[in-house]
Amino acid sequence: MLVSLSIKDFVLIEDATLDLADGLTVLTGETGAGKTLLTQALSLLLGDRASEGLVAEGADEAVIQGVFELSEEYVAGLAPEVVDLTALSAGELVVTRRLNRSGRNRCFLNAVAVPLGALSEVVGDLVSFSGQHEHRRLLRTPYQRDTLDAFAGAEQLADRASYATVWSQLRKVAERLAERRRDRGVRDQEMEFLRFQSAELEAAALEIEEEEALEAEQRLLARAEEVVRACHEVAELLRGEGDAPDVEGVLSAARARLASVADVDPRLVAAAASLEQAAALIYDGASDLRSFAHGLEVDPARLEAIDERLRVYSGMARKYGGTTASALAHLDEVRGRLQTYGEDDEDDETLTARHDSLQRRCVALADALSSRRLEAASRLESLVSSELAQLGMPQGRVTVLVKPRAMPEGLDAAGSDDVEFLLAANPGAPGRSLARTASGGELSRVLLAIQTALVGVEPAETLVFDEIDAGVGGLTATAVGARLRGMSRVNRLVVVTHLPQVAAYADQHVLVSKSQRGDRVFTCLESLCEEEAVGELSRMMGGRPGDPGAMEHARALRSRAGAGLLD
């Protein structure tokens, strides 16, 4: 629960602390004194996003700090990662929000800096906040559905969280399937083109080794006659045939002459051996050339076939990157993309199966949510109608209408139901939507009745009401005050009010006022003693300061409220 709230340099509040006591704490003051600043600061402490212009004039930053008491059960219900991040444990928790004039916003839990989301997760459920905007929210059917789910209990909220997770997954899968269907036409055209390229390249059966061999053979066959003549002529020259000098004979004579003196020096022996090797090489070379020439066939048909095959290579190279290597690389890429598309087809089947599975889970969870809503609706109707009777609407009746939609078409982010609160303020009158029939005072009482029904259901131990009594007065205001006093015996209540009938029930009365120093105006908080509280009640009732009659009237109001005698 909330133990204290400290505010420094926040708009008009220079430095103020609100120490809360058990029971009912009321905040009163003249219109414009700054009561709303307190609830605004509390909202920021609970995780609302900050706007500009909240730092007091002359200050660099505004600081809002709250001290809470955490129970072991509450800590156990928090996300483990948040607990580990802040080393949370049962006992005192100090929550700090610092708003810098430059726009920098820092949050701390027990002096540990945390993101705003983590702060909101930890303290968001510690205080139930019902501000003036709740009247407007109560008119919205999604909020009415949220309220019914909260009343239905922890199991309903857990199943709704599970449903929300599955629903989110279902929407993502559905979006992916829709996107793939939109792109299928383009994909099918691309696949057809890729299949054509793959078939063309595979039919060409390109191999870099074959291309190199064919190019070499083409060069040889293109000049076959010239090569044959050259080989024969060289062989004749080496063998000394015809008019050619006898190279082989010259080498043999030179070797024989050198051998006659070879014993004189070992180097001459080596030279003679070299001449012998040269003669052998020339002989072998001439033989090889003759064999090569005899084996080379001038074949125009073979040359034409090679030319035709090489034209295939050059054609593929022109289309796919300029070389055979680039064409083969393109074939690998095409095969990979076709495989990916094939896997995508399998993914379509997988996605469709996953979509159907998630949809079945959503339907099952939504059905469970609907069943509990229908059961909880009758209980909430009875409780709220009973509360309205105690709040000056004895003939008022609230009907909680749960309208299931057809599934799976009717599924949305919260299930398959439309929920609407209907109010029949008078006997025999049909129930109508709150937006069309409820006055401001009726809305205030319906909201208070709903909040009363939720006491003990929601985890918050501190309830804050900002002018929940708007639009009511007279005996109805007295009934509202009595009901708030009753709620404060179960939960710690903080109520901002302008009604003396409500303020009279206070266990702690805090006055919000303005003071001026120089040319600056400040909002101040003052916890009132009993006599001061009576004086504030007198002011709220229209009495003049010090008027004995007004003070006596206020004292009587206070006394009767304390004794539970107001009616």
Side-chain angles (χ1 to χ4, degrees):
M1 66 176 65
L2 180 62
V3 176
S4 68
L5 176 66
S6 299
I7 307 169
K8 185 175 181 180
D9 294 326
F10 180 73
V11 193
L12 297 179
I13 300 177
E14 182 181 33
D15 193 355
T17 298
L18 176 62
D19 293 316
L20 298 179
D22 288 335
L24 176 61
T25 298
V26 299
L27 280 69
T28 65
E30 294 283 2
T31 300
K35 297 185 295 295
T36 301
L37 293 179
L38 293 171
T39 56
Q40 186 179 8
L42 182 57
S43 296
L44 291 169
L45 192 67
L46 297 178
D48 278 5
R49 295 199 170 274
S51 59
E52 295 181 357
L54 298 179
V55 180
E57 182 182 349
D60 294 326
E61 69 173 5
V63 180
I64 306 168
Q65 188 171 85
V67 178
F68 295 85
E69 282 290 334
L70 302 185
S71 66
E72 292 182 356
E73 294 77 12
Y74 188 85
V75 174
L78 295 173
E81 57 270 20
V82 175
V83 175
D84 293 340
L85 173 65
T86 56
L88 284 181
S89 61
E92 185 176 274
L93 170 66
V94 179
V95 181
T96 307
R97 187 88 181 264
R98 293 181 176 273
L99 312 175
N100 194 281
R101 184 175 296 280
S102 64
R104 188 181 181 189
N105 185 349
R106 295 179 295 165
C107 306
F108 300 87
L109 297 176
N110 282 343
V112 177
V114 296
L116 180 60
L119 178 143
S120 178
E121 182 174 351
V122 171
V123 301
D125 289 335
L126 287 172
V127 176
S128 175
F129 192 95
S130 296
Q132 299 175 45
H133 62 284
E134 294 293 309
H135 296 73
R136 296 190 298 272
R137 290 174 63 186
L138 186 60
L139 302 180
R140 295 170 43 236
T141 54
Y143 179 73
Q144 295 171 7
R145 179 169 58 185
D146 294 344
T147 299
L148 178 60
D149 284 343
F151 178 76
E155 187 176 1
Q156 177 79 345
L157 294 178
D159 274 0
R160 179 160 168 178
S162 299
Y163 174 88
T165 299
V166 179
W167 169 257
S168 176
Q169 295 171 352
L170 175 62
R171 296 310 307 151
K172 289 177 182 178
V173 172
E175 289 170 3
R176 287 177 61 190
L177 280 172
E179 182 179 353
R180 294 171 76 86
R181 292 188 184 109
R182 288 193 300 269
D183 296 341
R184 189 177 297 281
V186 175
R187 189 182 70 169
D188 288 347
Q189 290 180 359
E190 185 175 1
M191 285 185 67
E192 182 178 355
F193 182 58
L194 291 174
R195 289 192 188 102
F196 166 78
Q197 290 184 331
S198 176
E200 182 179 49
L201 286 166
E202 288 175 350
L206 305 180
E207 294 182 9
I208 292 178
E209 295 79 3
E210 181 196 34
E211 182 184 27
E212 292 174 348
L214 288 174
E215 288 175 341
E217 187 177 1
Q218 181 194 49
R219 288 192 298 271
L220 185 59
L221 290 177
R223 300 176 63 186
E225 293 181 356
E226 180 183 356
V227 170
V228 168
R229 286 196 303 271
C231 288
H232 283 303
E233 290 173 359
V234 171
E236 290 174 356
L237 287 172
L238 294 176
R239 291 287 180 88
E241 297 173 354
D243 296 334
D246 186 2
V247 176
E248 195 175 337
V250 171
L251 287 173
S252 179
R255 180 182 59 78
R257 179 72 183 91
L258 190 58
S260 65
V261 294
D263 59 344
V264 175
D265 191 298
R267 288 174 290 184
L268 296 176
V269 175
S274 296
L275 290 173
E276 185 175 4
Q277 291 174 359
L281 288 172
I282 288 173
Y283 180 83
D284 291 341
S287 298
D288 291 342
L289 288 172
R290 287 185 186 280
S291 296
F292 181 80
H294 288 144
L296 182 59
E297 182 180 359
V298 178
D299 188 350
R302 172 61 181 163
L303 180 60
E304 177 59 30
I306 291 173
D307 289 343
E308 180 65 27
R309 178 62 177 156
L310 287 176
R311 278 194 288 273
V312 172
Y313 274 91
S314 61
M316 294 297 100
R318 281 195 304 273
K319 292 180 68 173
Y320 300 110
T323 65
T324 298
S326 65
L328 290 171
H330 185 74
L331 176 58
D332 288 340
E333 180 183 353
V334 166
R335 286 170 174 166
R337 290 168 67 183
L338 286 172
Q339 181 178 357
T340 299
Y341 279 132
E343 293 171 352
D344 283 349
D345 289 337
E346 295 177 3
D347 285 347
D348 282 351
E349 296 177 4
T350 302
L351 281 174
T352 300
R354 177 160 174 73
H355 176 276
D356 294 344
S357 174
L358 289 170
Q359 189 175 76
R360 287 192 295 271
R361 290 177 62 191
C362 277
V363 168
L365 287 168
D367 188 58
L369 292 175
S370 293
S371 297
R372 283 198 208 92
R373 283 170 181 154
L374 289 168
E375 186 275 331
S378 61
R379 291 190 291 112
L380 184 60
E381 288 174 358
S382 177
L383 281 174
V384 172
S385 297
S386 176
E387 289 294 331
L388 287 178
Q390 299 182 52
L391 294 173
M393 295 178 65
Q395 306 299 326
R397 187 182 76 257
V398 167
T399 300
V400 180
L401 186 61
V402 180
K403 297 178 288 185
R405 298 186 295 269
M407 293 190 286
E409 296 82 3
L411 293 172
D412 66 11
S416 61
D417 301 317
D418 291 317
V419 175
E420 187 173 14
F421 292 178
L422 306 179
L423 173 65
N426 300 299
R432 298 184 180 277
S433 68
L434 297 181
R436 290 195 299 166
T437 62
S439 66
E442 288 171 341
L443 274 179
S444 294
R445 282 177 280 179
V446 171
L447 177 59
L448 180 56
I450 291 172
Q451 289 290 348
T452 303
L454 293 177
V455 168
V457 175
E458 293 186 316
E461 297 175 334
T462 302
L463 308 180
V464 178
F465 295 100
D466 184 6
E467 296 194 12
I468 196 169
D469 50 15
V472 301
L475 291 177
T476 299
T478 301
V480 169
R483 200 68 198 96
L484 290 170
R485 175 70 174 270
M487 292 174 64
S488 72
R489 296 309 177 249
V490 180
N491 296 84
R492 181 171 288 181
L493 258 66
V494 179
V495 177
V496 178
T497 183
H498 63 283
L499 295 177
Q501 298 98 314
V502 173
Y505 284 96
D507 295 299
Q508 179 185 23
H509 195 144
V510 177
L511 175 64
V512 182
S513 61
K514 282 184 177 179
S515 64
Q516 185 168 352
R517 293 199 307 268
D519 59 351
R520 291 188 59 188
V521 175
F522 299 92
T523 291
C524 306
L525 302 184
E526 180 184 1
S527 183
L528 304 181
C529 67
E530 179 64 24
E531 191 63 19
E532 290 169 335
V534 170
E536 173 63 6
L537 285 177
S538 173
R539 182 200 65 78
M540 296 174 71
M541 296 165 63
R544 297 186 178 186
D547 183 339
M551 289 290 288
E552 187 61 30
H553 188 188
R555 190 172 288 107
L557 178 67
R558 173 79 173 144
S559 176
R560 291 176 63 82
L565 298 177
L566 287 181
D567 52 32

